[in-house]
Amino acid sequence: MRFKDSLTTALRSLTANKLRSALTMLGIIIGVAAVIGLMSIGRGVEASITSTLEGLGSNAIYVIPQTPGSTGFGGLTGSVPTLSVDDAEALADPSRVRAVVDVAPVGSSYADVIAGSESVTTTITGTNPAYMGAMGYSMAAGQFISERNVRHRDLVAVLGDKTAQDLFGGADPVGEKIKISGRRFTVVGVLEAKGGAMMGISQDEMVLVPITTFHARLFTQLTSSGEDAVQSIVVEVTSAGAVNGAILDIEDVLRDRHHLAADDDDDFAVISQEQILSSVQQITGMLTLLLGAIAGISLLVGGIGIMNIMLVSVTERTREIGIRKAVGAKRRDILSQFLLESAVISLVGSAVGVAAGMIMARLFSRLSIGGGTMTTVVSPDIIVLAISVAIFIGLVSGIYPALRAARLNPIDALHYG
Amino acid sequence: MIELENITKVYHMGKVAVNALRGVSLAIAEGEMLAIIGASGSGKSTLLNIIGLLDRPTSGRYLFNGEDTGRLNDNQLAELRNRKYGFVFQNFNLLPRATALANVELPLIYSGRTSRRRERAQEVLAQVGLAGRADHKPSEMSGGEQQRVAIARALVNDPWLVLADEPTGNLDTKSGAGIMDIFYRLHRGGKTIVLITHEPDIAAQAQRTIRIQDGRVVAGEV
Ligand SMILES: Nc1ncnc2c1ncn2[C@@H]1O[C@H](COP(=O)(O)OP(=O)(O)OP(=O)(O)O)[C@@H](O)[C@H]1O
Ligand SMILES: [Mg+2]
């Protein structure tokens, strides 16, 4: 029997049983769509976080308060103020911290911001001019907080792109007045949009003010030693290669300043961009894996569905097999007919599944979660993976029923049922 | 030329063994028309299925043109069934979702023939008087017509032997007579035919008759 005839036979038999074929396909379609849809979320989260973090610059080091004795992200809390503006100033000394270029203290809090009739609640960040370079921002309009602003505790503010949009619409905010916690500030600049959100927190939704103004006029918070507290300190060093050396120096300086004895644990944590990136990627990688596993299970269920329907169909069609064998069909003819049937089902099913999965990914990216929109990434490797798994499952689940059908004795098959 | 030597067939129903054939020896010469008669359960169908290579005997030798079919594997048997044998069943055994033409074409597909398949199928359909029913499905045809389609399918590869197990058993007298006319015509044309029948006048018209009783040939043995 020629291949073309086997194929025609298989196709005829599939179209003769449209409902059965469609139901079998549905299992594969759902499985493949789930793999592509869910993996696109995982990959999307990974991609957006990675791009966000990479934007921070690889020669930045972050210092944050940490409850002594705890390790990992669990101990990183902003609520215990152990870092101060004075710590930041101490770290800016190149004779104590190798390769340091600049240091930005970061105080942050939430407040209502009002401009005219518009009002938003957003993050207020108190910092100094070093922040812009260290965090990789650039200006869309006006200028950043200056040294002078910090010295004079000026009531000036720089807006994130999204916050500027929310408060002023399309109008130019530079020179306009806003009220933060009831105090009037003059907008001196607007940041270029960075795009991307980190854990749902947009990097474009914020108001920056001088660190001195932040403490003196908005949020007074002191460390236990009576210094102005900050939520984090960003240290910029000359190059990515200088990061590890600088981290050691930073630890020395801070332990010294915090009067920690040799066996006391650190009350701060020093993290490089690379470390954040790798631990976040570890988490998002696990997320992708988890989503993939869920999707894989649904694909497997689809495969078992094919196997089941193929088995039922072999039983149902035992007489047909008997007739074909009686008129001269060989084992391989029966085998190839049933295998081709499941191959066609899994091929067409996975093609439809890919389309459905891509539509799903589209729909997901329209959903907005916690104010930020979700990014989904459909990468070719996932498509290839989903299709090959689907076809593999389709063929494997087709082989057993096909073998059973092919082995039947013609007369037994004819007398069946 | 077909030669059966001491063919037996034992069916196992759980622990009970059923001796359906107890040593049948038989020769079928080219061009003859052989009728097999016997009581129900005597082993006629069992014998015909073995002759038609649909089943293997438990013991005994079966020679087709001098070749021992017991030594052939399943694929070689399938090939013989396809090219040398045409089987007609009491209950037609057509593919229900396929048209008459597609049913008749089926053996040609399995013989790997590529050219003029539809024409050949159409030609044989015309021979059995169904030229106009090629596109009908079995459910759209009468029993007599369905059996004609089955005969056309049996003939399409121009087999050496045509076997029929009570071909008129499911038909009324008139359609049955029409079917038998086809077999008589085939016989006159020189085709070798073996058929099982319960009807004495059909047996009477056959060239040779054997009677099976309790798994043995009791009359007309050659
Ligand atoms: N597949 C089978 N399994 C077990 N026993 C069988 C099988 N096929 C036939 N038999 C038994 O073998 C014996 C012969 O059966 P067979 O069908 O050959 O009879 P038959 O002469 O064709 O009868 P009928 O005229 O009713 O068609 C019977 O006793 C039958 O019950
Ligand atoms: Mg019988």
Side-chain angles (χ1 to χ4, degrees), chain B residues 32-35 37 176-177 180-185 187-188 193 195 197 199-209:
Chain B
E32 78 171 321
M33 181 166 184
L34 172 66
I37 56 172
M180 284 318 298
D181 281 344
I182 298 176
F183 281 109
Y184 298 138
R185 203 176 70 216
H187 175 50
R188 283 195 300 277
I193 294 170
L195 60 82
T197 183
E199 291 162 55
D201 49 328
I202 294 178
Q205 292 217 42
Q207 179 187 16
R208 176 159 77 111
T209 303

Side-chain angles (χ1 to χ4, degrees), chain A residues 281-305:
Chain A
Q281 274 171 346
Q282 213 177 331
I283 295 172
T284 56
M286 268 160 60
L287 176 75
T288 308
L289 211 67
L290 183 75
L291 292 172
I294 295 171
I297 288 170
S298 65
L299 196 55
L300 198 71
V301 170
I304 293 170

Side-chain angles (χ1 to χ4, degrees), chain A residues 33-109:
Chain A
V35 167
I36 291 176
L38 291 179
M39 299 278 276
S40 79
I41 296 178
R43 287 287 171 87
V45 170
E46 227 170 304
S48 79
I49 290 182
T50 304
S51 82
T52 303
L53 291 176
E54 276 170 349
L56 300 179
S58 58
N59 43 1
I61 300 166
Y62 304 86
V63 186
I64 51 179
Q66 177 180 247
T67 313
S70 57
T71 53
F73 279 110
L76 307 179
T77 64
S79 56
V80 190
T82 58
L83 296 174
S84 69
V85 176
D86 306 72
D87 287 334
E89 274 162 17
L91 295 177
D93 180 355
S95 68
R96 299 185 70 184
V97 177
R98 269 172 278 178
V100 65
V101 175
D102 225 335
V103 177
V106 182
S108 68
S109 191

Side-chain angles (χ1 to χ4, degrees), chain A residues 73 244 247 270-281:
Chain A
F73 279 110
N244 289 339
I247 286 178
V270 187
I271 314 163
S272 66
Q273 185 253 18
E274 202 180 322
Q275 280 171 321
I276 301 181
L277 201 61
S278 78
S279 30
V280 167
Q281 274 171 346

Side-chain angles (χ1 to χ4, degrees), chain A residues 315-334:
Chain A
T315 317
E316 223 177 55
R317 289 155 67 189
T318 306
R319 261 170 77 88
E320 174 194 328
I321 295 164
I323 294 171
R324 291 181 183 277
K325 291 201 133 188
V327 302
K330 295 177 182 159
R331 276 189 187 194
R332 62 164 179 272
D333 297 329
I334 302 294

Side-chain angles (χ1 to χ4, degrees), chain A residues 1-2 5 16-17 319-320 323-333 409-411 414, chain B residues 49 54-55 74-75 78-79 81-82 89 91 93-95 97 106-107 109-110 114 117 153:
Chain A
M1 190 179 187
R2 295 179 313 158
D5 290 325
N17 272 294
R319 261 170 77 88
E320 174 194 328
I323 294 171
R324 291 181 183 277
K325 291 201 133 188
V327 302
K330 295 177 182 159
R331 276 189 187 194
R332 62 164 179 272
D333 297 329
N409 182 359
I411 200 69
L414 276 174
Chain B
N49 292 337
L54 293 176
D55 208 354
D74 284 358
N75 276 348
E79 218 155 279
R81 278 199 299 277
N82 181 258
F89 303 89
N91 59 354
N93 274 334
L94 299 174
L95 295 181
R97 294 178 201 274
L106 200 59
I109 291 174
Y110 289 118
T114 56
R117 282 201 308 236
R153 181 181 64 191

Side-chain angles (χ1 to χ4, degrees), chain A residues 397-417:
Chain A
S397 52
I399 276 177
Y400 173 65
L403 274 177
R404 241 178 57 158
R407 282 211 199 100
L408 284 172
N409 182 359
I411 200 69
D412 292 342
L414 276 174
H415 283 167
Y416 183 88

